[in-house]
Amino acid sequence: MKKVVIIGAGPSGLSAAYFLLMNSNEYEVIILEQDSTVGGISKTINYNGNRMDLGGHRFFTKKKEINELWKTLLPIQNKPSIDEVILKNNKNYKEGGNDSEKNDKVLLKRRRVSRIYYHKKFFDYPINLSLKTIKNLGVYDTLLSGISYIKSIIKKLPENNLENFYINRFGRRLYEIFFKDYTEKLWGISPDKIDSSWGSQRVKGISIKEVIVDYFKRIFKIKDKNKQTSLIESFYYPKYGPGEMYEEMAINIKKMGGKINLNSQVIKIKKQENKILSIVYKENDIIKKIEVDYVISSMPIKDLIESINNVPKKIKRIGSTLPYRDFLTIGLIIDKLKIKNNTKIKTLNDIIPDTWIYVQSRDVKLGRIQVFNNWSPYLVKDKNTISLGLEYFCNENDEFWNKKDLELKEFVKNELVKMDLIDKNCNILDYHVERVKKAYPAYFGSYKDFPKVKEYLNNIDNLYCIGRNGMHRYNNMDHSIESGIVCANNIINNIKDKENIWSINTDIDYHEEEK
């Protein structure tokens, strides 16, 4: 049997292993994962019975094969979840309610509510043309935004940076109100210094034009088979968080004979000419070596390049300086919010309905808020409390990263009070801090020379790069999974050209599958 070593047990690495084993019995598959759990940044953290999603992972895709994979591992719920039962019966958690969906391994269908918090007011995300938007923005700013957008239509800017990309689609005024500050928080650098390819991968075809078209389609109830990713209104979500999907995938991989070695960090990769011969890794402080026929890597390319022997100096210099953005998430369990639910959406205990909130305010460092109750009520131990995830973007070992957990708790509380989301007497019942390294491969600095690194890696015959960090590309979760599937197919069918992997998530017409 040919030995396939997969570096990383995130969505892409697990998917590659799963499809190799599902479709062939010719391969011995071994996954090396440096963490103690599977899932990568899509794992779910369990702290004192409360579960925290590191990034807010919506399960949606246009790809039928991926949709079927998800539903095979975790079938869609066929009965109402506990929050739906209680709302239907006009009860609250204190009065009790029977959970009619007893199966723990299911996908829930959830409502997507994403909003921007700007000047202590909520704006729907993506921006729409509702009267509420105009009222919150004010007539003056609305007029200026319209004029600014018309100007952007008349005179297009060269899309050689992310700032111009946004301005061409929304006009300068809306860009400065709703995108500039958040983007600077995320990347720690001005958007005019960031490559525009990040926008084309994440924002896709969304623009003011698309928002207007979507608005009128909803008014006249026109069914849209090509609904843009950023405009979807519902998504699937595992009952106990995204990590549940990857834990289930890992169980199936082991049943099919695959091995998953946790706490196993790759140290060296020995290459001779254009072929990798072996990998040296440290498993629970024990140094081990493994011979390979194929290597599938989802580890950060910066680390991959530094691990391989005899890399040309120019490639090593580019690879070792590839930029990343790290972040930390602070999970808070609180008794109540100060902000009220002023929407028409019913929620348990009448909390705000948001899944996540983008914080577009210069006077706070907070970037994004997740309300875990709305992702899945099963993430929250005490259903009468509110579980928040507060995301802060930073760099590993900078001043913010190195703050003590207790300092971060107080810092977050002060910012939420400043934003009028909680009052100063709010009771923090529990908290937890998670620091995530290399969460976002960045599109500035030495990234401009990345094609040279890509070419070098592609010329190593038995090496395949997949996933977000493995390709240094800000992929969605389903794109990462797809890269693993395509990679497995290439190996099984002896396809040498790897361009079909790299072409994933380059099509600007990527859409959400119609449900």
Side-chain angles (χ1 to χ4, degrees):
M1 295 179 73
K2 294 181 180 179
K3 189 171 291 185
V4 181
V5 174
I6 300 173
I7 305 173
S12 61
L14 290 170
S15 299
Y18 184 88
F19 272 81
L20 273 172
L21 294 166
M22 276 286 291
N23 295 288
S24 176
N25 58 6
E26 297 180 6
Y27 302 96
E28 179 186 358
V29 178
I30 301 169
I31 301 178
L32 303 178
E33 169 57 53
Q34 68 174 358
D35 201 353
S36 59
T37 57
V38 301
I41 62 172
S42 298
K43 66 183 177 182
T44 302
I45 306 300
N46 188 333
Y47 67 104
N48 296 332
N50 290 292
R51 290 174 169 83
M52 182 166 70
D53 183 344
L54 289 181
H57 292 88
R58 291 172 296 166
F59 284 72
F60 63 87
T61 184
K62 186 184 178 181
K63 300 293 182 177
K64 184 177 180 180
E65 188 173 24
I66 297 173
N67 226 357
E68 290 305 313
L69 168 64
W70 288 339
K71 293 175 185 178
T72 298
L73 294 169
L74 298 177
I76 299 171
Q77 65 170 347
N78 55 22
K79 293 181 181 179
S81 56
I82 191 168
D83 53 348
E84 294 169 325
V85 170
I86 295 174
L87 280 172
K88 183 179 179 180
N89 295 327
N90 292 316
K91 293 183 177 182
N92 57 38
Y93 280 124
K94 290 178 181 177
E95 294 173 310
N98 292 321
D99 186 357
S100 61
E101 179 55 81
K102 295 299 183 182
N103 185 4
D104 284 341
K105 295 184 177 182
V106 291
L107 285 171
L108 309 179
K109 190 169 185 179
R110 308 303 293 175
R111 180 197 298 268
R112 179 255 178 93
V113 180
S114 298
R115 293 190 290 178
I116 296 171
Y117 195 66
Y118 174 71
H119 281 188
K120 298 184 179 180
K121 295 177 182 178
F122 281 112
F123 295 81
D124 290 339
Y125 179 79
I127 298 300
N128 60 34
L129 296 177
S130 67
L131 291 175
K132 184 179 178 181
T133 299
I134 296 171
K135 180 182 176 181
N136 285 349
L137 199 57
V139 175
Y140 179 73
D141 268 332
T142 300
L143 287 173
L144 287 182
S145 297
I147 294 169
S148 176
Y149 176 62
I150 292 170
K151 286 181 179 179
S152 72
I153 295 174
I154 296 171
K155 187 178 180 180
K156 291 288 184 182
L157 297 173
E159 291 195 359
N160 52 10
N161 61 64
L162 186 58
E163 180 171 282
N164 288 357
F165 175 91
Y166 277 125
I167 291 172
N168 282 345
R169 284 156 182 76
F170 298 94
R172 183 175 292 277
R173 186 75 176 179
L174 284 180
Y175 156 71
E176 290 178 346
I177 291 174
F178 292 119
F179 296 97
K180 188 174 188 296
D181 291 336
Y182 178 82
T183 304
E184 287 189 8
K185 285 182 188 180
L186 173 57
W187 296 113
I189 191 172
S190 175
D192 64 359
K193 303 291 193 302
I194 301 172
D195 194 282
S196 62
S197 57
W198 182 82
S200 62
Q201 285 179 19
R202 297 300 290 183
V203 181
K204 302 297 177 188
I206 292 297
S207 64
I208 286 295
K209 176 184 173 182
E210 291 296 332
V211 170
I212 293 171
V213 170
D214 179 71
Y215 176 73
F216 283 104
K217 282 181 177 178
R218 282 190 284 110
I219 285 179
F220 294 107
K221 298 182 179 179
I222 299 172
K223 205 167 186 179
D224 187 359
K225 292 183 178 180
N226 292 318
K227 198 172 188 68
Q228 297 284 358
T229 299
S230 296
L231 296 174
I232 67 162
E233 296 172 358
S234 64
F235 57 91
Y236 291 123
Y237 193 76
K239 186 173 182 177
Y240 289 107
E244 187 176 24
M245 178 68 74
Y246 301 107
E247 290 160 11
E248 190 64 22
M249 193 180 290
I251 289 170
N252 280 266
I253 288 168
K254 291 175 182 178
K255 284 181 180 178
M256 291 186 286
K259 298 177 182 177
I260 302 177
N261 295 356
L262 301 176
N263 302 305
S264 298
Q265 182 179 5
V266 172
I267 300 172
K268 293 180 181 178
I269 298 175
K270 184 179 180 181
K271 178 177 72 70
Q272 185 174 316
E273 295 181 349
N274 291 329
K275 187 175 182 181
I276 292 175
L277 302 179
S278 63
I279 292 177
V280 176
Y281 64 99
K282 182 169 67 173
E283 182 178 7
N284 295 319
D285 296 325
I286 300 173
I287 303 298
K288 298 183 178 182
K289 181 179 178 181
I290 187 170
E291 309 294 327
V292 303
D293 292 297
Y294 297 95
V295 175
I296 301 174
S297 174
S298 66
M299 71 190 294
I301 282 185
K302 179 178 182 178
D303 299 335
L304 177 65
I305 289 293
E306 291 177 351
S307 301
I308 300 174
N309 64 297
N310 299 326
V311 175
K313 289 183 178 179
K314 186 175 183 180
I315 300 300
K316 195 158 191 172
R317 177 185 57 79
I318 298 168
S320 64
T321 57
L322 280 174
Y324 296 84
R325 190 70 162 154
D326 312 298
F327 83 98
L328 57 83
T329 296
I330 303 158
L332 285 188
I333 304 296
I334 60 176
D335 55 354
K336 62 181 179 179
L337 287 166
K338 180 179 179 180
I339 195 86
K340 303 298 181 184
N341 179 15
N342 294 318
T343 73
K344 295 180 180 179
I345 301 172
K346 290 184 178 180
T347 61
L348 286 173
N349 301 326
D350 203 31
I351 65 170
I352 55 175
D354 306 77
T355 44
W356 56 37
I357 300 165
Y358 297 93
V359 181
Q360 182 70 11
S361 302
R362 295 182 184 181
D363 57 346
V364 294
K365 186 175 175 60
L366 180 58
R368 194 169 68 172
I369 303 170
Q370 293 182 77
V371 185
F372 292 125
N373 306 64
N374 297 327
W375 287 88
S376 168
Y378 304 98
L379 299 180
V380 189
K381 182 180 178 181
D382 180 348
K383 306 301 189 292
N384 296 297
T385 62
I386 297 168
S387 177
L388 303 178
L390 298 312
E391 296 183 9
Y392 286 86
F393 312 110
C394 52
N395 293 321
E396 183 183 355
N397 290 324
D398 69 10
E399 182 182 358
F400 195 78
W401 177 276
N402 289 328
K403 281 182 181 290
K404 302 294 184 183
D405 288 3
L406 187 58
E407 289 181 90
L408 290 169
K409 171 192 171 186
E410 293 305 315
F411 186 91
V412 167
K413 181 177 180 180
N414 290 336
E415 289 214 321
L416 292 177
V417 169
K418 187 175 185 179
M419 295 167 61
D420 278 343
L421 294 179
I422 64 174
D423 61 44
K424 61 182 180 180
N425 297 318
C426 176
N427 188 13
I428 296 179
L429 304 169
D430 199 359
Y431 75 101
H432 178 77
V433 178
E434 282 287 326
R435 295 170 176 81
V436 183
K437 301 177 184 178
K438 296 184 176 70
Y440 306 112
Y443 289 63
F444 50 84
S446 62
Y447 175 77
K448 67 181 183 300
D449 296 317
F450 179 70
K452 296 172 185 175
V453 176
K454 172 186 167 183
E455 182 182 10
Y456 172 78
L457 294 172
N458 277 347
N459 284 330
I460 301 175
D461 292 339
N462 61 340
L463 172 66
Y464 297 83
C465 294
I466 61 172
R468 176 182 284 197
N469 271 329
M471 302 170 75
H472 203 85
R473 179 177 292 166
Y474 200 152
N475 282 331
N476 286 327
M477 186 167 57
D478 62 322
H479 295 130
S480 292
I481 290 172
E482 185 181 358
S483 70
I485 295 172
V486 173
C487 174
N489 183 66
N490 282 3
I491 291 174
I492 292 170
N493 294 290
N494 198 30
I495 298 172
K496 301 295 185 183
D497 189 352
K498 302 162 187 173
E499 195 53 41
N500 58 350
I501 301 174
W502 290 96
S503 64
I504 294 168
N505 193 20
T506 58
D507 184 358
I508 200 166
D509 291 326
Y510 176 82
H511 299 298
E512 157 68 358
E513 181 182 18
E514 183 185 24
K515 297 292 192 296

